[in-house]
Amino acid sequence: MDQDALRVDGLFLSRSGRTVLSGVSFALAPGSFCGLIGVNGSGKTTLIRALLGLLPADAGGIEGAARGHRALGYVPQKIDADPYMPLRARDVVALGFDGHRYGLPLPSRRRRDRVAAMLAAVGADAFADRRLGDLSGGQQQRIFIAHALVREPQLLLLDEPLANLDMPSIAGIVSVLKRIARESGVTVLISSHDVNPLVGALDRVIYLAGGGAVSGRPDEVLRSGVLSRLYGHHIDVLRVHGRLVIVPAGETHPIAPDEPHVERLE
Amino acid sequence: MTLLSFLPAGFLDSGPVQRALVTGAVAAVISAIAGVLTLIRGQSFAGHALTDVSAAGGAAAVLFGAGPLAGFLAGALVGGFGMETVELRRRSERDLVAGIMLGLGLGVSALILGRIVSSGSNGGAPVTILFGSLFILPPGVILPVSICGAVAVVLAALFTRPLLLAALDPDLLTVQGGSPRLMRLVHLTMLALAVAVSSLTVGAILSTAFLIGPAATATRLSARPGRTMALAAILGLIAGWGGILMSYKSYDWTDGHAWPVSFCIVALIVAAHLLLPPVFGRLLKPRQKG
């Protein structure tokens, strides 16, 4: 029996012939709420695609209990839903339940109940019968989270689900995910270019930069010294009005983890 | 027969009319299913390009003295699988490939139809291939048309769910253990069958209207995938049969210069699209809870 939901060991990944990640290792404990943080282009999507089995690894291993189609749930970054696409929110969740199966979709009480329960769990009852293309970005995210969870996966992977959402929607999605991780024991890995909307909720941070990664509790990782070593140049981690601000000092600046260089502008 | 007394005398007893009604019905049903999937995938333009390659196939079949249906089907399959072999990195590249394919299909059609006309053997071939030949179908056409229809219906029944999931996002199907590649091939085959049978009814060029028109109208009337396909099939059937009747009757209305069936069918499809959604769209809007 595997102790970790997922264990990544010395993983090398490339995309279009360019190496994106070189020697990344981390582990995710079952039921933990984990953030995959990094700027655009740092390899978040590439790593998620490899964890899903959509992209082969150049080297290194991905192991753990949460492997294979039955164990994985996926929320893609962006789905273009035409306003007239003839799919209701409820139909999208039902496709998560048995959309891979062949044969006519005969009415099934089990599917109907599971879909209804998932729609309720993500707070989507009010718009379950509307077309997918009619919904706001935050509502669509809730539907795709329900779609990914309806088969009861062990690991839920979400690719930038908070991008392009307003603040109330972000808070709503984060609280839904946190509650689901706590109540149903699903391991959640959520990627984001900004750590702030997540940092209060995260059990674990995997921070990607320069082809490498550091992982640990948020207070272990989000430190000037740790991130400076990862980036290879000086990084300040500042706390301003309760928000974390991660500031690169420039490629040429030597690593000086002791003192943030803050000047107050009047 | 009082129910059907509005029909012209001898309408249903005529062999050409019977073949037209059967072929039109099969075209309506396959086009409805393939059309709704094509709309969800956002591939209307690729569907249209396919019809022009199909036209070249139909023309080639006539040139070599074969039945146009086999040519239409072969052309649509070659076009579809040809587009499939071009590996696309972005969705936007698809329109580019479809555009080039469309040009190639019409160009080759022009070449072959030119040969047929200049040889003097069949001056009506261009109109037959491009705009349909519903009233002059040979008696042997019913069996192959029915087989095309049966194959498409079986494919749809087998693969509806993975087809819908792959249309939404191929990665979602892969993650659930399905094969988006297989679904692309199934969809292309259904599309080719729909285009081939529709080309017999309204012609290769107008078969897009059968594919996209009723499906587009249905998506505005229903939000559920299964109902949308059923509704599109009914709309296509009404337009197909109505168009056949309209064309038949137009002999009397126009002093012998009957309107072509393809014009009548397309006119009904367009009229339905303009009239039905504003009238019924509001009534059929799904109930909203809370």
Side-chain angles (χ1 to χ4, degrees), chain A:
Chain A
M1 193 62 195
D2 250 306
Q3 250 187 339
D4 298 316
L6 195 75
R7 202 166 47 252
V8 171
D9 197 16
L11 190 65
F12 283 72
L13 295 175
S14 55
R15 203 151 191 187
S16 328
R18 192 175 59 92
T19 300
V20 179
L21 295 178
S22 37
V24 166
S25 302
F26 60 88
L28 305 180
S32 57
F33 191 63
C34 312
L36 179 62
I37 311 296
V39 297
N40 292 333
S42 58
K44 303 186 295 292
T45 297
T46 308
L47 177 57
I48 285 180
R49 291 182 68 79
L51 297 180
L52 287 167
L54 296 172
L55 184 77
D58 295 339
I62 302 168
E63 287 164 47
R67 299 293 296 148
H69 297 302
R70 299 198 62 80
L72 295 171
Y74 170 47
V75 177
Q77 189 162 3
K78 175 94 186 95
I79 287 196
D80 288 318
D82 181 271
Y84 281 114
M85 187 185 270
L87 280 177
R88 298 168 302 166
R90 189 183 297 284
D91 300 319
V92 174
V93 180
L95 284 175
F97 185 74
D98 59 9
H100 54 296
R101 290 190 187 282
Y102 300 145
L104 280 175
L106 300 172
S108 140
R109 172 179 288 275
R110 200 165 78 88
R111 179 178 60 216
R112 202 173 59 230
D113 292 348
R114 285 289 306 154
V115 168
M118 269 339 297
L119 285 163
V122 299
D125 278 333
F127 46 87
D129 289 314
R130 282 170 55 193
R131 289 172 196 256
L132 182 67
D134 269 351
L135 304 181
S136 72
Q139 290 171 330
Q140 288 191 12
Q141 283 297 348
R142 284 174 193 258
I143 296 305
F144 281 106
I145 290 168
H147 166 99
L149 287 172
V150 71
R151 283 187 309 146
E152 302 181 323
Q154 295 177 44
L155 174 62
L156 176 65
L157 299 157
L158 304 98
D159 194 357
E160 288 272 9
L162 309 179
N164 307 319
L165 296 188
D166 55 27
M167 288 306 286
S169 305
I170 288 176
I173 299 281
V174 170
S175 81
V176 161
L177 288 170
K178 181 77 180 165
R179 182 164 44 77
I180 285 165
R182 195 179 57 237
E183 286 173 6
S184 59
V186 180
T187 310
V188 177
L189 181 65
I190 173 170
S191 80
S192 176
H193 60 273
D194 182 7
V195 71
N196 277 293
L198 293 167
V199 71
L202 292 177
D203 301 316
R204 199 163 189 83
V205 169
I206 297 127
Y207 201 105
L208 297 183
V214 283
S215 71
R217 291 196 317 271
D219 60 318
E220 293 171 338
V221 171
L222 301 169
R223 299 164 77 107
S224 185
V226 173
L227 292 188
S228 294
R229 276 194 294 282
L230 176 66
Y231 275 91
H233 56 86
H234 185 78
I235 299 288
D236 287 321
V237 180
L238 309 175
R239 190 173 287 277
V240 182
H241 293 300
R243 286 174 62 83
L244 285 170
V245 185
I246 296 169
V247 187
E251 306 261 338
T252 54
H253 203 286
I255 297 176
D258 45 346
E259 188 68 24
H261 307 264
V262 180
E263 293 157 39
R264 184 176 295 276
L265 297 178
E266 298 302 332

Side-chain angles (χ1 to χ4, degrees), chain B residues 60-244:
Chain B
V62 170
L63 180 68
F64 295 115
L69 178 64
F72 284 134
L73 185 59
L77 285 171
V78 166
F81 286 87
M83 280 193 271
E84 180 62 22
T85 56
V86 182
E87 195 54 56
L88 300 179
R89 293 213 175 72
R90 290 161 204 274
R91 285 193 129 180
S92 58
E93 281 179 40
R94 208 166 51 192
D95 281 354
L96 214 120
V97 174
I100 291 171
M101 202 58 122
L102 182 155
L104 181 68
L106 278 182
V108 173
S109 303
L111 175 74
I112 301 174
L113 291 173
R115 275 289 293 276
I116 296 173
V117 171
S118 66
S119 74
S121 60
N122 188 349
V127 172
T128 301
I129 295 298
L130 298 178
F131 298 110
S133 57
L134 201 50
F135 280 139
I136 52 167
L137 295 172
V141 84
I142 296 294
L143 181 65
V145 160
S146 308
I147 292 173
C148 287
V151 170
V153 168
V154 167
L155 286 177
L158 266 178
F159 297 115
T160 302
R161 282 176 286 181
L163 280 169
L164 285 171
L165 187 54
L168 193 58
D169 184 336
D171 286 343
L172 290 177
L173 179 59
T174 310
V175 167
Q176 282 178 228
S179 163
R181 187 167 183 85
L182 177 65
M183 289 312 114
R184 284 204 301 276
L185 298 182
V186 169
H187 179 238
L188 275 175
T189 305
M190 289 174 60
L191 205 53
L193 291 166
V195 165
V197 180
S198 299
S199 294
L200 283 182
T201 45
V202 290
I205 292 209
L206 285 177
S207 60
T208 318
F210 232 154
L211 187 71
I212 302 303
T217 309
T219 61
R220 274 137 183 84
L221 297 174
S222 168
R224 302 186 183 203
R227 280 190 192 179
T228 305
M229 288 178 189
L231 204 54
I234 293 168
L235 288 172
L237 202 62
I238 293 172
W241 285 357
I244 290 166

